[in-house]
Short mmCIF file of all heavy atoms in Angstrom, two decimals:
data_model
loop_
_atom_site.label_atom_id
_atom_site.label_comp_id
_atom_site.label_asym_id
_atom_site.label_seq_id
_atom_site.Cartn_x
_atom_site.Cartn_y
_atom_site.Cartn_z
N TRP D 569 5.04 -10.72 17.05
CA TRP D 569 5.72 -10.37 18.30
C TRP D 569 5.49 -11.46 19.40
O TRP D 569 6.32 -11.76 20.25
CB TRP D 569 5.38 -9.02 18.80
CG TRP D 569 5.76 -8.63 20.18
CD1 TRP D 569 7.02 -8.34 20.52
CD2 TRP D 569 4.99 -8.54 21.31
NE1 TRP D 569 7.05 -8.08 21.93
CE2 TRP D 569 5.79 -8.20 22.40
CE3 TRP D 569 3.63 -8.75 21.54
CZ2 TRP D 569 5.29 -8.02 23.68
CZ3 TRP D 569 3.17 -8.61 22.83
CH2 TRP D 569 4.00 -8.23 23.88
N TRP D 570 4.24 -11.96 19.46
CA TRP D 570 3.78 -12.78 20.52
C TRP D 570 4.26 -14.19 20.29
O TRP D 570 3.50 -15.17 20.23
CB TRP D 570 2.24 -12.80 20.70
CG TRP D 570 1.70 -13.14 21.99
CD1 TRP D 570 2.39 -13.16 23.19
CD2 TRP D 570 0.41 -13.66 22.22
NE1 TRP D 570 1.52 -13.58 24.17
CE2 TRP D 570 0.28 -13.87 23.60
CE3 TRP D 570 -0.75 -13.88 21.46
CZ2 TRP D 570 -0.88 -14.39 24.21
CZ3 TRP D 570 -1.89 -14.36 22.03
CH2 TRP D 570 -1.97 -14.58 23.41
N ARG D 571 5.59 -14.41 20.23
CA ARG D 571 6.20 -15.68 19.82
C ARG D 571 5.92 -16.88 20.76
O ARG D 571 5.69 -17.95 20.23
CB ARG D 571 7.61 -15.50 19.57
CG ARG D 571 7.99 -14.93 18.22
CD ARG D 571 9.46 -15.07 17.95
NE ARG D 571 10.23 -14.12 18.84
CZ ARG D 571 10.36 -12.81 18.55
NH1 ARG D 571 9.81 -12.38 17.44
NH2 ARG D 571 11.00 -12.05 19.35
N PRO D 572 5.93 -16.63 22.03
CA PRO D 572 5.65 -17.83 22.94
C PRO D 572 4.43 -18.53 22.56
O PRO D 572 4.31 -19.75 22.78
CB PRO D 572 5.67 -17.23 24.25
CG PRO D 572 6.31 -15.91 24.18
CD PRO D 572 6.11 -15.43 22.81
N VAL D 573 3.44 -17.83 22.02
CA VAL D 573 2.15 -18.44 21.74
C VAL D 573 1.97 -18.66 20.23
O VAL D 573 1.53 -19.72 19.78
CB VAL D 573 1.01 -17.59 22.28
CG1 VAL D 573 -0.34 -18.08 21.85
CG2 VAL D 573 1.09 -17.48 23.77
N THR D 574 2.26 -17.67 19.40
CA THR D 574 2.00 -17.81 18.00
C THR D 574 3.21 -18.28 17.14
O THR D 574 3.03 -18.52 15.94
CB THR D 574 1.60 -16.39 17.44
OG1 THR D 574 2.76 -15.54 17.56
CG2 THR D 574 0.42 -15.85 18.15
N TYR D 575 4.35 -18.51 17.72
CA TYR D 575 5.55 -18.81 16.99
C TYR D 575 5.94 -17.87 15.92
O TYR D 575 6.68 -18.16 15.05
CB TYR D 575 5.37 -20.26 16.38
CG TYR D 575 5.23 -21.34 17.45
CD1 TYR D 575 4.01 -21.81 17.71
CD2 TYR D 575 6.37 -21.84 18.09
CE1 TYR D 575 3.83 -22.81 18.69
CE2 TYR D 575 6.27 -22.78 19.06
CZ TYR D 575 5.01 -23.28 19.39
OH TYR D 575 4.84 -24.24 20.31
N GLY D 576 5.41 -16.63 16.00
CA GLY D 576 5.83 -15.56 15.15
C GLY D 576 5.86 -15.98 13.69
O GLY D 576 4.87 -16.51 13.22
N ASN D 577 6.95 -15.62 13.07
CA ASN D 577 7.09 -15.84 11.64
C ASN D 577 7.16 -17.32 11.23
O ASN D 577 7.01 -17.66 9.99
CB ASN D 577 8.33 -15.15 11.14
CG ASN D 577 8.11 -14.43 9.86
OD1 ASN D 577 7.31 -14.90 9.05
ND2 ASN D 577 8.83 -13.32 9.62
N SER D 578 7.29 -18.21 12.18
CA SER D 578 7.26 -19.61 11.81
C SER D 578 5.83 -20.07 11.52
O SER D 578 5.70 -21.13 10.88
CB SER D 578 7.90 -20.49 12.92
OG SER D 578 9.24 -20.17 13.05
N GLY D 579 4.86 -19.38 12.08
CA GLY D 579 3.52 -19.78 11.84
C GLY D 579 3.08 -20.95 12.69
O GLY D 579 3.90 -21.64 13.31
N LEU D 580 1.79 -21.11 12.71
CA LEU D 580 1.18 -22.28 13.43
C LEU D 580 1.04 -23.42 12.46
O LEU D 580 0.29 -23.25 11.47
CB LEU D 580 -0.13 -21.95 14.06
CG LEU D 580 -0.10 -20.92 15.25
CD1 LEU D 580 -1.51 -20.53 15.59
CD2 LEU D 580 0.55 -21.62 16.37
N ILE D 581 1.65 -24.53 12.72
CA ILE D 581 1.63 -25.64 11.72
C ILE D 581 0.75 -26.70 12.26
O ILE D 581 0.49 -26.87 13.53
CB ILE D 581 3.04 -26.13 11.53
CG1 ILE D 581 3.91 -25.11 10.85
CG2 ILE D 581 3.10 -27.45 10.67
CD1 ILE D 581 5.25 -25.42 10.55
N ASP D 582 0.15 -27.52 11.33
CA ASP D 582 -0.72 -28.67 11.67
C ASP D 582 -1.93 -28.30 12.49
O ASP D 582 -2.31 -28.91 13.41
CB ASP D 582 0.11 -29.71 12.42
CG ASP D 582 1.20 -30.28 11.60
OD1 ASP D 582 1.04 -30.27 10.41
OD2 ASP D 582 2.19 -30.76 12.13
N VAL D 583 -2.55 -27.19 12.10
CA VAL D 583 -3.87 -26.86 12.72
C VAL D 583 -4.87 -27.93 12.30
O VAL D 583 -4.97 -28.24 11.14
CB VAL D 583 -4.37 -25.43 12.18
CG1 VAL D 583 -5.70 -25.18 12.79
CG2 VAL D 583 -3.32 -24.39 12.58
N PRO D 584 -5.59 -28.56 13.28
CA PRO D 584 -6.48 -29.63 12.83
C PRO D 584 -7.63 -29.19 11.92
O PRO D 584 -8.01 -28.05 11.98
CB PRO D 584 -7.07 -30.09 14.23
CG PRO D 584 -6.69 -29.08 15.20
CD PRO D 584 -5.59 -28.27 14.65
N GLY D 585 -8.09 -30.08 11.16
CA GLY D 585 -9.22 -29.82 10.19
C GLY D 585 -10.48 -30.17 10.84
O GLY D 585 -10.59 -30.61 11.92
N PHE D 586 -11.60 -30.04 10.02
CA PHE D 586 -12.88 -30.33 10.51
C PHE D 586 -13.18 -31.82 10.43
O PHE D 586 -12.60 -32.56 9.65
CB PHE D 586 -13.96 -29.66 9.67
CG PHE D 586 -13.87 -28.14 9.86
CD1 PHE D 586 -13.17 -27.39 8.92
CD2 PHE D 586 -14.49 -27.48 10.93
CE1 PHE D 586 -13.10 -26.03 9.05
CE2 PHE D 586 -14.44 -26.11 11.05
CZ PHE D 586 -13.73 -25.38 10.14
N SER D 587 -14.07 -32.32 11.27
CA SER D 587 -14.50 -33.65 11.09
C SER D 587 -15.95 -33.80 11.58
O SER D 587 -16.36 -33.03 12.48
CB SER D 587 -13.59 -34.62 11.87
OG SER D 587 -13.57 -34.20 13.23
N ILE D 588 -16.66 -34.73 11.00
CA ILE D 588 -17.99 -35.06 11.47
C ILE D 588 -17.96 -36.52 11.92
O ILE D 588 -17.70 -37.40 11.14
CB ILE D 588 -19.06 -34.92 10.35
CG1 ILE D 588 -19.16 -33.46 9.90
CG2 ILE D 588 -20.43 -35.35 10.91
CD1 ILE D 588 -20.02 -33.24 8.75
N ALA D 589 -18.18 -36.71 13.22
CA ALA D 589 -18.00 -38.01 13.84
C ALA D 589 -16.58 -38.50 13.50
O ALA D 589 -15.59 -37.79 13.80
CB ALA D 589 -19.04 -39.01 13.42
N SER D 590 -16.47 -39.60 12.76
CA SER D 590 -15.11 -40.09 12.53
C SER D 590 -14.70 -39.70 11.11
O SER D 590 -13.60 -39.97 10.70
CB SER D 590 -15.07 -41.61 12.65
OG SER D 590 -15.93 -42.21 11.66
N PHE D 591 -15.58 -38.98 10.40
CA PHE D 591 -15.25 -38.59 9.00
C PHE D 591 -14.37 -37.31 9.02
O PHE D 591 -14.82 -36.30 9.46
CB PHE D 591 -16.51 -38.40 8.18
CG PHE D 591 -16.22 -37.83 6.85
CD1 PHE D 591 -15.59 -38.58 5.85
CD2 PHE D 591 -16.58 -36.53 6.58
CE1 PHE D 591 -15.35 -38.10 4.56
CE2 PHE D 591 -16.34 -36.02 5.27
CZ PHE D 591 -15.67 -36.75 4.29
N GLN D 592 -13.15 -37.50 8.55
CA GLN D 592 -12.15 -36.35 8.48
C GLN D 592 -12.34 -35.63 7.19
O GLN D 592 -12.35 -36.25 6.14
CB GLN D 592 -10.76 -36.86 8.65
CG GLN D 592 -10.30 -36.92 10.07
CD GLN D 592 -9.93 -35.55 10.63
OE1 GLN D 592 -9.69 -34.68 9.85
NE2 GLN D 592 -9.90 -35.42 11.89
N PHE D 593 -12.50 -34.33 7.31
CA PHE D 593 -12.54 -33.53 6.07
C PHE D 593 -11.05 -33.53 5.51
O PHE D 593 -10.10 -33.60 6.28
CB PHE D 593 -12.86 -32.09 6.31
CG PHE D 593 -14.31 -31.78 6.56
CD1 PHE D 593 -15.16 -32.82 6.97
CD2 PHE D 593 -14.83 -30.60 6.26
CE1 PHE D 593 -16.53 -32.54 7.15
CE2 PHE D 593 -16.22 -30.35 6.43
CZ PHE D 593 -17.04 -31.34 6.89
N GLY D 594 -10.95 -33.46 4.23
CA GLY D 594 -9.60 -33.23 3.76
C GLY D 594 -9.03 -34.23 2.78
O GLY D 594 -8.02 -34.02 2.14
N ILE D 595 -9.65 -35.38 2.68
CA ILE D 595 -9.17 -36.38 1.65
C ILE D 595 -9.35 -35.74 0.32
O ILE D 595 -8.49 -35.77 -0.48
CB ILE D 595 -9.98 -37.66 1.72
CG1 ILE D 595 -10.05 -38.20 3.19
CG2 ILE D 595 -9.35 -38.75 0.85
CD1 ILE D 595 -8.74 -38.37 3.87
N ASN D 596 -10.50 -35.13 0.03
CA ASN D 596 -10.63 -34.31 -1.15
C ASN D 596 -11.24 -32.99 -0.70
O ASN D 596 -11.56 -32.78 0.47
CB ASN D 596 -11.37 -34.94 -2.26
CG ASN D 596 -12.83 -35.31 -1.78
OD1 ASN D 596 -13.40 -34.60 -0.96
ND2 ASN D 596 -13.33 -36.36 -2.32
N LYS D 597 -11.49 -32.07 -1.60
CA LYS D 597 -11.90 -30.71 -1.28
C LYS D 597 -13.39 -30.58 -1.04
O LYS D 597 -13.85 -29.55 -0.66
CB LYS D 597 -11.41 -29.73 -2.37
CG LYS D 597 -9.97 -29.84 -2.66
CD LYS D 597 -9.14 -28.99 -1.74
CE LYS D 597 -7.67 -29.24 -2.07
NZ LYS D 597 -6.77 -28.72 -1.01
N ILE D 598 -14.14 -31.62 -1.44
CA ILE D 598 -15.59 -31.43 -1.54
C ILE D 598 -16.25 -30.99 -0.20
O ILE D 598 -16.98 -30.01 -0.17
CB ILE D 598 -16.33 -32.66 -2.06
CG1 ILE D 598 -15.89 -32.79 -3.55
CG2 ILE D 598 -17.83 -32.53 -2.01
CD1 ILE D 598 -16.43 -33.99 -4.27
N PRO D 599 -15.98 -31.65 0.92
CA PRO D 599 -16.58 -31.19 2.18
C PRO D 599 -16.20 -29.80 2.50
O PRO D 599 -17.04 -28.97 2.88
CB PRO D 599 -15.95 -32.14 3.24
CG PRO D 599 -15.36 -33.26 2.54
CD PRO D 599 -15.07 -32.82 1.14
N TYR D 600 -14.94 -29.40 2.31
CA TYR D 600 -14.53 -27.99 2.54
C TYR D 600 -15.20 -27.01 1.61
O TYR D 600 -15.66 -25.99 2.06
CB TYR D 600 -13.00 -27.88 2.40
CG TYR D 600 -12.21 -28.31 3.61
CD1 TYR D 600 -11.40 -29.40 3.55
CD2 TYR D 600 -12.36 -27.64 4.77
CE1 TYR D 600 -10.68 -29.88 4.65
CE2 TYR D 600 -11.63 -28.04 5.93
CZ TYR D 600 -10.81 -29.13 5.84
OH TYR D 600 -10.10 -29.56 6.92
#
Side-chain angles (χ1 to χ4, degrees):
Chain D
W569 169 75
W570 201 22
R571 277 191 290 277
V573 175
T574 64
Y575 295 99
N577 221 329
S578 298
L580 290 171
I581 293 178
D582 295 335
V583 178
F586 295 96
S587 55
I588 298 174
S590 65
F591 172 69
Q592 270 284 339
F593 282 28
I595 311 304
N596 59 32
K597 307 275 176 193
I598 292 176
Y600 279 112

